[in-house]
Amino acid sequence: PPLNVSRRVLYPLCLCAEDESGAVVVQTAPGKVITHRGGTIILPCRYHYDVSAHDPAEIRLKWTKVTEPMSFVDVFVAMGRERRAFGSYRGRTALQEDGAGDASLIVRNVTLQDYGRYECEVTNELEDDTGMVKLDLEGVIFPYHPRLGRYTLNFHEAREACLAQDGILASYDQLHAAWLEGLDWCNAGWLQDGSVQYPIARPRDECGRKDTPVGVRNYGYRHKDDERYDAFCFTSNLNGKVYFLKTYRKLSYPEALQACRKSGARVAKVGQLYAAWKIQLLDKCEAGWVEDGSIRYPIVNPRARCGGREPGVRNLGFPGKKYKLFGVYCYKKGSEGPPKEGSEGPGKWGPLQV
């Protein structure tokens, strides 16, 4: 059956002449390929060599992911008939093998952690060459700080905070793209590379002076253990649905946890609510609990008494979990969507999906 592949290459794959010396020559897409979490993508790579000088069985193909400027993680290796995938790529990767010289790698069920740069290396006994492919994800940036308050996370804590809320630390490219779309945030946050930055679309005195230009402002690379800031997280497509669970009365946080469980779901994480707002266009002018104990609600179409003139996910902070009462946003995994009204049967709150 045909492979269902999300494949967007921003530049054409270059088709270059074979090197006159007979050396291995590798070509990859000079732009980037784009997919979303859960998708399937092809990382394009082709190679050329003098077939009269080299046995095809001697050619080794190796894919690695660049994690630091000079640090790599093994992804996939092939030589002759042998194939081996590594780590989290096991069971999700295979060579495309569309004709001679095709080293393109198929990656299925793409994860947030797959985002980044990949190196395609082709080696024979004496020669080798490499090409680089960037894998980008469609998604959304969300600024984050925990209940402790602003500027309380070192780099490692920021990374864990994003993971806990269904995200990863954003890259500079992702933050810059969000700024181009209008993201304006006055608090500095950690990025994936260990730098601290923040995007300003509307200069003002409380955000570094009104007379400074718009842009992504950069504090540079900071001490990852000692210095504390917020985080800029990134998330992508959901394999499931976020919905507001209306009840006959407002709930405390422990009651909200139980109500979502009774609905066959769990309380939505912050990243899941952002993904539902950005990608699934969830629009609800109802404040509700989310997993980290904050109160938020997503607005696609700004309107009166719904928190301002701009679209976004409104944040009402972190109230007391036991005594403050709100609605709740639930997340149900899979394609079945939220429950139908009245499907839960009798219960303490009689939850209804709206």
Side-chain angles (χ1 to χ4, degrees):
L3 182 66
N4 181 18
V5 177
S6 167
R7 182 181 181 183
R8 289 173 56 194
V9 182
L10 297 195
Y11 300 91
L13 193 65
C14 90
L15 297 175
C16 308
E18 188 172 309
D19 188 280
E20 293 181 359
S21 68
V24 172
V25 178
V26 171
Q27 294 105 37
T28 53
K32 57 187 176 182
V33 294
I34 305 176
T35 185
H36 54 77
R37 177 167 53 180
T40 295
I41 193 73
I42 295 172
L43 306 184
C45 179
R46 299 195 71 87
Y47 63 96
H48 305 269
Y49 67 100
D50 183 356
V51 294
S52 65
H54 304 290
D55 181 350
E58 297 173 351
I59 298 293
R60 187 186 74 155
L61 313 177
K62 183 178 182 181
W63 281 92
T64 54
K65 185 182 181 190
V66 183
T67 55
E68 300 282 345
M70 294 301 294
S71 181
F72 301 84
V73 170
D74 289 340
V75 174
F76 192 92
V77 172
M79 187 168 181
R81 296 182 178 275
E82 298 298 319
R83 306 283 186 272
R84 183 179 179 188
F86 297 88
S88 65
Y89 296 94
R90 289 193 186 110
R92 300 193 295 122
T93 50
L95 291 180
Q96 179 177 243
E97 300 186 272
D98 183 15
D102 186 12
S104 302
L105 189 70
I106 301 169
V107 184
R108 296 179 173 86
N109 193 23
V110 170
T111 69
L112 294 176
Q113 289 72 23
D114 291 342
Y115 170 87
R117 291 186 299 132
Y118 290 79
E119 187 175 89
C120 173
E121 179 184 46
V122 181
T123 309
N124 61 29
E125 289 183 326
L126 300 174
E127 306 285 350
D128 67 84
D129 194 21
T130 60
M132 197 72 70
V133 181
K134 183 177 180 182
L135 172 56
D136 202 358
L137 295 177
E138 297 169 339
V140 59
I141 291 273
F142 61 99
Y144 187 76
H145 71 86
R147 179 178 287 273
L148 288 173
R150 297 199 182 278
Y151 293 176
T152 58
L153 302 171
N154 67 24
F155 174 80
H156 313 288
E157 291 164 343
R159 185 168 56 192
E160 291 303 312
C162 289
L163 287 172
Q165 296 307 316
D166 194 48
I168 57 172
L169 272 178
S171 69
Y172 169 77
D173 288 345
Q174 290 168 335
L175 184 62
H176 185 262
W179 169 73
L180 289 175
E181 293 179 0
L183 180 62
D184 181 277
W185 199 256
C186 199
N187 294 90
W190 291 103
L191 295 181
Q192 191 179 76
D193 63 359
S195 66
V196 173
Q197 310 194 35
Y198 65 103
I200 293 296
R202 299 182 301 277
R204 49 207 184 273
D205 288 337
E206 60 269 29
C207 296
R209 299 212 320 265
K210 192 173 183 178
D211 58 355
T212 54
V214 300
V216 178
R217 297 177 180 171
N218 190 351
Y219 285 8
Y221 296 98
R222 314 306 297 179
H223 196 289
K224 291 183 176 181
D225 296 323
D226 296 343
E227 298 193 41
R228 296 183 178 273
Y229 299 94
D230 291 352
F232 285 104
C233 307
F234 175 86
T235 193
S236 185
N237 225 45
L238 292 172
N239 178 26
K241 199 82 170 176
V242 173
Y243 56 96
F244 183 77
L245 187 70
K246 190 174 181 180
T247 60
Y248 290 120
R249 66 175 180 85
K250 302 293 186 181
L251 310 175
S252 67
Y253 182 77
E255 290 171 336
L257 292 174
Q258 187 176 348
C260 284
R261 280 197 297 267
K262 287 188 66 175
S263 180
R266 60 177 182 266
V267 177
K269 297 176 183 289
V270 176
Q272 291 167 342
L273 185 61
Y274 267 88
W277 162 72
K278 180 73 171 182
I279 300 166
Q280 299 175 351
L281 301 181
L282 181 64
D283 183 285
K284 194 71 181 172
C285 192
E286 294 268 7
W289 293 103
V290 291
E291 192 271 346
D292 68 341
S294 62
I295 301 298
R296 304 175 190 249
Y297 61 99
I299 297 297
V300 174
N301 301 304
R303 51 204 182 271
R305 297 185 296 278
C306 287
R309 299 179 179 179
E310 299 293 330
V313 175
R314 315 290 191 234
N315 183 1
L316 302 185
F318 294 84
K321 290 184 175 182
K322 290 185 178 180
Y323 305 110
K324 297 296 182 180
L325 306 179
F326 296 92
V328 60
Y329 286 93
C330 303
Y331 171 72
K332 177 168 280 192
K333 190 175 181 180
S335 58
E336 67 270 20
K340 294 181 180 179
E341 184 169 319
S343 64
E344 281 69 46
K348 184 175 180 181
W349 304 292
L352 302 174
Q353 187 273 325
V354 296

